Amino acid sequence: MSTTTALRTFPDVRADFPGLTPGWHYLDTAATAQKPQAVIDATVNAMGRDYATVHRGVYARSADMTLAYEAARRRIAGFIGAKEEQIAFVRGATEAINLVAYSHPRKGRVLLSVLEHHSNIVPWQLAGWQVDVCPLTADGCIDLDAAEKLLTPDHTMVAFAHVSNVLGSPLDVARTAELAHNVGAELLIDGCQAVPRLPVDVAALGCDYYAFSGHKLYGPTGIGVLWSNKLDTLPPWQGGGSMIDRVTFAKTTYAPAPTRFEAGTPAIIEAIGLAAAVDYVESIGIDAIHAHECALVGSLREQLARRNSITLFGPENSAGIVSFAMAGVHPHDIGTILDESGVAIRAGHHCAQPLMEHLGVPATARASFGVYSNDDDVAALIEGLSRVERIFG
């Protein structure tokens, strides 16, 4: 499908998002997505009309809320091709990665890549893993040929991003899984940027752990998902109510997975809101979303490439994200001037300081797309960048 056709045939859904006020061009979806009214309504109802605790009450509303909460688990599991008992609700991908890093019984060497988000670097360091680093290809993808040479039987884990939050670089997860398993390592995938814009089937990917956050998938903040078909092999990470079988002062036994990883009162409202977000995304179609965002990325990269002042980062097939720098202008200045024109982008190191060092820049400007993005947003960004050039020219 051509870029023009993809943009013309995609439905205009901006009216579904009350946060998208007229004249405002939101190009920071990689940081957090705006919420459709369907998600807002689901969370409001869960917090108000339908609210009760789950798993504890014997009264009817508690039972109904428990059913809704567990239905949300099934809905979200199905979205990524998983079984409901294979997903644990966590506060976000950061907590999911921390859970694996701290709970894994075979802490050893972990292979990360240069482009990882800090949330896929710091937890491994804090938990005492020995970190090795895989380089990137010239166009900013994880170099799997290099990974194959770096991996040894000493590696317990490989932890890579499915899609880079800075470069939009997609990963061949199936090949990565094969490389990791060949040396007896497991594979954790940070799927934060992939799940909102790419079809994800965890069984087909072949990874051992898959983590993502709800708020980037048009859902609420404060909730995320850890998928694994090996949850039963991990001990609990946090203790408290709900995650137990029997407690005595002498000994405690724990509930089976995923309950053992959900200590305390869970994110009831957020889980129901995330299920509503999955419904919304699937009503549009993840393949259609991917094609739409690819068309926008292609259009923006083509227009930026014509400007001598602009340096583009990442591969041509970046997924939903375009990072760039302008000669002689700090990205924070770009972001500030664009904001005056009603264009919201991200400017900074994007929680990826090692990648910034690799790129040789202190920061980049980043435009990222969502289901509500359109060619008007691209045009507004290009016009705003022309203003930046005039001011600093």
Side-chain angles (χ1 to χ4, degrees):
M1 183 184 297
S2 70
T3 296
T4 302
T5 301
L7 294 175
R8 187 173 62 247
T9 58
F10 193 79
D12 183 357
V13 298
R14 285 180 63 88
D16 294 343
F17 294 82
L20 296 177
T21 53
W24 192 51
H25 302 276
Y26 184 70
L27 292 171
D28 197 20
T29 299
T32 194
Q34 295 291 318
K35 317 306 173 193
Q37 189 64 49
V39 169
I40 296 168
D41 291 343
T43 56
V44 168
N45 289 336
M47 189 181 297
R49 181 193 68 193
D50 304 329
Y51 187 72
T53 193
V54 297
H55 299 150
R56 296 185 179 97
V58 296
Y59 49 92
R61 187 185 288 190
S62 176
D64 290 343
M65 186 58 95
T66 298
L67 291 173
Y69 177 74
E70 292 301 335
R73 189 191 305 275
R74 289 193 297 275
R75 183 71 183 91
I76 295 160
F79 182 61
I80 59 169
K83 299 176 181 178
E84 61 184 289
E85 65 270 18
Q86 295 175 333
I87 72 164
F89 286 132
V90 288
R91 287 184 300 162
T94 298
E95 182 168 278
I97 296 169
N98 272 275
L99 190 161
V100 176
Y102 279 93
S103 293
H104 200 279
R106 294 192 300 133
K107 294 183 181 67
R109 303 196 76 89
V110 58
L111 182 64
L112 309 178
S113 81
V114 171
L115 59 68
E116 300 306 318
H117 190 281
H118 294 165
S119 63
N120 197 26
I121 299 174
V122 180
W124 305 103
Q125 295 172 330
L126 286 173
W129 293 68
Q130 295 172 288
V131 174
D132 295 316
V133 183
C134 181
L136 307 182
T137 60
D139 64 351
C141 295
I142 298 173
D143 189 338
L144 294 183
D145 291 335
E148 184 173 17
K149 296 174 183 176
L150 286 167
L151 283 168
T152 73
D154 290 334
H155 286 95
T156 308
M157 186 73 66
V158 178
F160 287 167
H162 196 167
V163 170
S164 166
N165 74 303
V166 177
L167 305 175
S169 314
L171 175 71
D172 183 341
V173 178
R175 185 188 172 198
T176 309
E178 181 180 3
L179 295 178
H181 296 159
N182 283 345
V183 298
E186 294 178 329
L187 175 63
L188 180 146
I189 294 295
D190 171 1
C192 283
Q193 300 297 340
V195 168
R197 52 179 54 93
L198 297 177
V200 172
D201 182 337
V202 288
L205 291 176
C207 56
D208 302 282
Y209 307 93
Y210 199 96
F212 64 94
S213 294
H215 71 102
K216 298 180 193 294
L217 184 59
Y218 309 97
T221 57
I223 190 166
V225 170
L226 172 64
W227 168 86
S228 179
N229 55 11
K230 300 181 178 181
L231 286 182
D232 278 325
T233 69
L234 299 180
W237 179 45
Q238 296 174 324
S242 300
M243 49 75 70
I244 55 88
D245 174 31
R246 178 170 172 77
V247 176
T248 70
F249 285 111
K251 182 180 179 180
T252 296
T253 55
Y254 306 108
T259 306
R260 72 171 63 158
F261 302 111
E262 297 178 5
T265 301
I268 304 166
I269 297 160
E270 291 81 0
I272 291 170
L274 182 53
V278 166
D279 286 342
Y280 183 83
V281 167
E282 289 206 326
S283 72
I284 298 171
I286 197 70
D287 289 322
I289 292 169
H290 179 50
H292 177 67
E293 292 189 3
C294 284
L296 290 168
V297 165
S299 174
L300 178 57
R301 288 185 68 93
E302 180 182 357
Q303 294 181 66
L304 291 177
R306 299 184 195 133
R307 294 171 176 259
N308 294 330
S309 63
I310 297 291
T311 299
L312 278 165
F313 302 106
E316 292 293 329
N317 67 333
S318 57
I321 295 169
V322 178
S323 279
F324 60 94
M326 179 179 286
V329 186
H330 195 281
H332 288 166
D333 292 324
I334 296 174
T336 299
I337 295 169
L338 287 174
D339 183 48
E340 295 171 355
S341 302
V343 179
I345 66 163
R346 183 74 178 269
H349 55 65
H350 315 296
C351 296
Q353 289 178 330
L355 177 57
M356 295 299 111
E357 183 177 354
H358 169 79
L359 296 175
V361 294
T364 70
R366 183 188 71 187
S368 52
F369 299 109
V371 295
Y372 36 66
S373 304
N374 56 33
D375 48 8
D376 289 341
D377 297 320
V378 174
L381 173 58
I382 294 299
E383 183 179 347
L385 290 175
S386 295
R387 181 168 179 255
V388 175
E389 287 178 329
R390 289 194 297 272
I391 291 172
F392 285 90

